[in-house]
Amino acid sequence: MDTFALVVTIGVALGFTYTNGFHDSANAIATSVSTRALTPRAALAMAAVMNLAGAFLGSGVAKTVSKGLIETPHGNRGMWILFAALVGAIVWNLITWYFGLPSSSSHALFGGMVGAALAGGIGVLWDGVVDKVVIPMFVSPVVGLVAGYLVMVVILWMFRRANPHKAKRGFRIAQTVSAAAMALGHGLQDAQKTMGIVVMALVIADVQTADAAIPIWVKIACAVMLSLGTYAGGWRIMRTLGRKIIELDPPQGFAAETTGASIMFGSAFLFHAPISTTHVITSAIMGVGATKRVNAVRWGVAKNIILGWFITMPAAALVAAVSFWIVNLAFV
């Protein structure tokens, strides 16, 4: 049963990474596709490659996920707790994808971990949850909103005398770089979150110790699944990010992507904080759009998105708790 539980849990973890890829692919490429800087397929291919590369850039976020949020459970019960956490995250990802709502795969995973841990009777490291998840959940969108606004103001000032058509053409080219940076940051952040879960599973199964380095096969598997999911594309969410919040032009798209990528790299390397790529790029788009005029942003759509952010963790936690109770009845 130990080996079976380990294989199933790792398989579901990789399945979650795949849903994360197609759910969050819009984060990296929606702006560049909506401004026609890149064709959808070219953007998806570029994002998939950069996701793959980003996964190998660090391990700080993975360590936070594997050791900083819940106590490491033990035995088959512990493995089913991880399994239930992943089910909670996957179900919420699929629900929000279906409705085209750019919710956070990261917070779905964290909510699933907390819900499954509580249902399974193991400790939640609330200090870690607050410091590494809750505070960044509130701070990163504010930073994204303000930084996006300021970056766009600087661009408008620097190019105030430029020929508008030439400037837009130049920013359309520059967006290929900023979109690549977003995709690299997405790989850096989101592939590592699943690596952290797989490492927990290996520790529970006594395959490796908690302090050991992340095995290379884990990095490759998580990176490849995230890339495949990204290439599958999340068209429903892409329409919401690229068109429904605000109609973006190339300078705005460049400003939003540059802001989002900078915040993701900074949080991963400086704080090892697993922030939501969805929160960051969505708030950056809002901040950039507000420079045109405040009512240029469709705040009704933004309100629905933000409401989704707040219910993601509790909803995923509830699904994970129910999943654990079902598995517990069936196998334990």
Side-chain angles (χ1 to χ4, degrees), residues 14 47 50 56 139 161 163:
L14 295 177
M50 297 308 286
F56 293 91
V139 172
R161 294 190 180 90
N163 180 293

Side-chain angles (χ1 to χ4, degrees), residues 65-127:
V65 172
S66 65
K67 295 193 287 187
L69 303 180
I70 64 173
E71 291 179 357
T72 302
H74 300 287
N76 283 347
R77 185 181 181 84
M79 201 67 76
W80 296 132
I81 286 172
L82 282 191
F83 171 84
L86 291 162
V87 169
I90 289 171
V91 168
W92 187 248
N93 270 358
L94 293 175
I95 290 171
T96 50
W97 166 81
Y98 181 80
F99 289 104
L101 187 67
S103 72
S104 169
S105 295
S106 306
H107 291 116
L109 177 61
F110 305 146
M113 291 174 70
V114 170
L118 292 174
I122 67 167
V124 176
L125 305 177
W126 291 109
D127 287 346

Side-chain angles (χ1 to χ4, degrees), residues 17-23 25 224-234:
T17 308
Y18 184 85
T19 68
N20 188 350
F22 74 71
H23 190 282
S25 60
V224 168
M225 289 303 290
L226 186 70
S227 293
L228 290 174
T230 298
Y231 191 69

Side-chain angles (χ1 to χ4, degrees), residues 57-291:
L57 291 181
S59 59
V61 171
K63 289 178 181 175
T64 295
V65 172
S66 65
K67 295 193 287 187
L69 303 180
I70 64 173
E71 291 179 357
T72 302
H74 300 287
N76 283 347
R77 185 181 181 84
M79 201 67 76
W80 296 132
I81 286 172
L82 282 191
F83 171 84
L86 291 162
V87 169
I90 289 171
V91 168
W92 187 248
N93 270 358
L94 293 175
I95 290 171
T96 50
W97 166 81
Y98 181 80
F99 289 104
L101 187 67
S103 72
S104 169
S105 295
S106 306
H107 291 116
L109 177 61
F110 305 146
M113 291 174 70
V114 170
L118 292 174
I122 67 167
V124 176
L125 305 177
W126 291 109
D127 287 346
V129 172
V130 171
D131 290 346
K132 298 295 186 180
V133 178
V134 177
I135 291 176
M137 182 172 73
F138 287 100
V139 172
S140 61
V142 175
V143 173
L145 188 74
V146 174
Y149 181 89
L150 294 176
V151 168
M152 192 63 212
V153 167
V154 170
I155 288 173
L156 289 171
W157 184 83
M158 288 177 64
F159 292 88
R160 65 192 184 281
R161 294 190 180 90
N163 180 293
H165 296 295
K166 286 184 178 179
K168 284 187 178 182
R169 190 160 57 246
F171 275 107
R172 194 168 275 125
I173 296 169
Q175 265 199 279
T176 59
V177 178
S178 60
M182 268 297 299
L184 195 68
H186 182 238
L188 172 66
Q189 278 280 343
D190 284 27
Q192 284 193 53
K193 292 160 190 169
T194 309
M195 289 179 204
I197 293 293
V198 174
V199 166
M200 282 188 78
L202 295 174
V203 171
I204 292 170
D206 290 326
V207 174
Q208 72 171 58
T209 62
D211 296 323
I214 301 172
I216 189 67
W217 70 264
V218 173
K219 291 186 177 184
I220 292 172
C222 293
V224 168
M225 289 303 290
L226 186 70
S227 293
L228 290 174
T230 298
Y231 191 69
W235 304 107
R236 293 171 186 264
I237 295 170
M238 207 175 297
R239 281 192 290 271
T240 300
L241 278 179
R243 294 288 183 185
K244 290 185 179 178
I245 298 175
I246 185 174
E247 295 282 345
L248 293 169
D249 61 22
Q252 291 173 326
F254 174 80
E257 289 169 341
T258 301
T259 299
S262 300
I263 294 170
M264 284 192 288
F265 281 110
S267 61
F269 288 123
L270 297 177
F271 306 110
H272 298 164
I275 65 167
S276 166
T277 55
T278 306
H279 289 190
V280 168
I281 190 60
T282 307
S283 58
I285 289 171
M286 293 178 197
V288 165
T291 59

Side-chain angles (χ1 to χ4, degrees), residues 306-325:
I306 292 169
L307 180 63
W309 293 354
F310 281 104
I311 66 174
T312 289
M313 282 189 69
L318 181 61
V319 175
V322 172
S323 300
F324 176 77
W325 289 325

